[in-house]
Amino acid sequence: MTKATELRTKDVAALEKEVTDLLKAHFGLRMQKATQQLTNHSQLGKTRRDIARAKTVLAQKKKEATK
């Protein structure tokens, strides 16, 4: 789990990479669930919230850059 304070210290490029990494991880978890290999189903919700958190901070950074 990544904290918002940790994400705010990163630049836009690092945040975009973080989002893509989290999306890939979430896809892998979804595939594990589909093949009934996923044992800890709470990981799906955690990665989904991490993606949302990273996208929110990314949007804030982009908005600050346009000002």
Side-chain angles (χ1 to χ4, degrees), residues 3 5-6 10-11 14 18 23 26 32 35 40 42 44 48 50 54-55 57 62-63 65:
K3 294 187 176 185
T5 55
E6 295 172 7
K10 296 182 178 182
D11 62 338
E18 181 80 20
L23 287 170
H26 187 67
Q32 285 182 9
T35 58
N40 187 1
S42 67
L44 282 168
R48 193 169 57 237
D50 285 343
K55 282 186 174 182
V57 173
K62 285 184 177 180
K63 188 175 180 180

Side-chain angles (χ1 to χ4, degrees), residues 12-27:
V12 174
L15 284 171
E16 288 175 344
K17 183 180 181 333
E18 181 80 20
V19 169
T20 56
D21 291 344
L22 286 168
L23 287 170
K24 287 179 184 177
H26 187 67
F27 179 76

Side-chain angles (χ1 to χ4, degrees), residues 30-38:
R30 286 193 342 243
M31 290 301 108
Q32 285 182 9
K33 181 181 178 195
T35 58
Q36 297 178 353
Q37 295 175 348
L38 185 64

